[in-house]
Amino acid sequence: MFSQWWVSDMWPSKLARTLHTPSVAATATLGSTHAAALLRPDARLALSRLSAGQLATAWAVYRCCGSAGLVRAAPGLLQGLEQARLGWLSGAVVRRTFFAWFCAGETEREIVQTMRRLQGAGIGAILDYSVEADLGSGNDTRAQANVRADALAKEYLHSVQMAAQGRGAFVAVKVTGLADPGVLFRVSDGSADADDMADFERLLARARAVVQAAEARGVRVMIDAEHSYFQAAIDRVAAVLQREANTSRAVVFNTYQMYRVDALQRMRDDYAQARREGWRFAAKLVRGAYMELERERAAELSQPSPIHATLSDTHAAYDAATAFLVDEMAGQPSLQPELFVATHNNASIERVLQQLQGLGFDAGGAVMFGQLLGMQDATSYALAQMGAQVYKYVPYGPLHEVMPYLVRRAQENSAVASAIRAEATHAATELRRRVSERLLPRKPAPAV
């Protein structure tokens, strides 16, 4: 499962070529196209904080991501090395490159150092223990699945303890890790039996313990969106937790993947429920992370795809959702919704900033923004410099557990080759600048 962004703003080129008129209302496009840009990313601002070694790592990672053939071959190559008992070799390479760039580390010391480094630049952290679960990912008995879920709940409590060492930090929670994924599948499709519902109650108890610990320490919780066949149960968990914790301030955020055809209406319905019941609605909006899997599964089952047919439809849905919630923030005197704009798409960020400005909001307090660690740093640092609340999604965990996450990062970057080439160029340019300054130091100005 991937931390959604989180954000697949990227779309396979073969699909992008099929773009047609968006089916979602075009009213999501806000502001004059002639308005002065508020967001002004500057790669040098982010790169200037990196060591030469970090710049070299960034350059190497982006160059690898820019090779579509290498990225396509990576899963098979890693598996082949593992079967040849050379996993130690691939592990050593990945640890010094992709893991070093996209993850905070494995130990508490490494993770807290990463948080504090970001905090020094005015950027918050969302800690994400990047361990995944899906249907068929294990052969646990019901009892074994509960033991495993208890262990992950303890790790989330540890994540809360680490996040509390930062300022205003979040902890990301993947609900599928808190029970056998099969339980969530059956709860979602309505086929759960009494044993499943008992396990679902255990899941809720684990999630409540994490939220209560977070609230006591001033940490907030993000419930990650996952595969569509789990999402009904995940939304149910999120609603229970928000109803209990979001009475005055937003402690729990639910995540909406706007590439799903039903996402905009589901978000509106959930917001209406929060208004009726008197709790604060809090949403993280992403484009989505499981597009190819969702499409393949729908085709195998001869079902309609849950994903928008085109990238333009997804963009329109995303922008419609942000516009709706910002308008509601302006129109509600109490229990205003809270919005976290999780995207690497600068056009979407600019639209939100323009809308906030038009409604008289201070960009530093009304909405939160976020990007993945190691991606779109120029945007993150530019937002921090203008006083906005901006966060980095900070994955951590044992290397073998986060490997699927790292493969997806490479695949996601490969889908936007021109942007990745630009990132590599920026890193190389900064390295050359430093080398030239070291070899050719500036002459002191003549005395006057």
Side-chain angles (χ1 to χ4, degrees), residues 34 50 57 79 106 109 256 264 276 303 328 415 420 445:
H34 302 292
L50 300 180
T57 298
Q79 186 177 20
E106 295 179 278
R109 179 173 174 271
Y256 297 85
L264 182 58
R276 287 194 307 271
Q303 295 176 346
E328 289 298 311
I420 290 308

Side-chain angles (χ1 to χ4, degrees), residues 10 45 124 130 160 213 224 240 248 256 305 355 375 400 427 434-435 444:
M10 307 80 171
L45 186 65
S130 294
V160 168
D224 275 346
V240 169
S248 56
Y256 297 85
S305 172
Q355 186 182 8
M375 294 178 68
H400 68 280
R434 294 189 191 184
V435 169

Side-chain angles (χ1 to χ4, degrees), residues 26-35 318-327 347-356 359:
T27 53
T29 304
L30 299 166
S32 167
T33 56
H34 302 292
Y318 193 94
D319 293 335
T322 59
F324 171 78
L325 289 177
V326 173
D327 277 342
S348 289
I349 295 172
E350 181 67 29
R351 285 189 179 94
V352 172
L353 292 173
Q354 293 284 353
Q355 186 182 8
L356 290 171
L359 293 171

Side-chain angles (χ1 to χ4, degrees), residues 249-312:
R249 65 185 292 264
V251 176
V252 179
F253 284 63
N254 196 14
T255 302
Y256 297 85
Q257 299 189 97
M258 301 310 299
Y259 70 176
R260 285 190 52 176
V261 174
D262 64 350
L264 182 58
Q265 190 57 52
R266 279 177 38 241
M267 187 205 73
R268 288 174 180 264
D269 291 344
D270 291 348
Y271 174 67
Q273 179 184 359
R275 295 294 302 169
R276 287 194 307 271
E277 296 178 359
W279 46 271
R280 190 179 295 276
F281 179 80
K284 179 183 78 179
L285 301 184
V286 304
R287 278 174 167 78
Y290 307 103
M291 184 181 69
E292 292 190 16
L293 182 149
E294 296 282 11
R295 288 184 178 280
E296 290 170 2
R297 185 173 185 274
E300 288 171 4
L301 298 175
S302 298
Q303 295 176 346
S305 172
I307 307 303
H308 281 301
T310 68
L311 176 58
S312 58

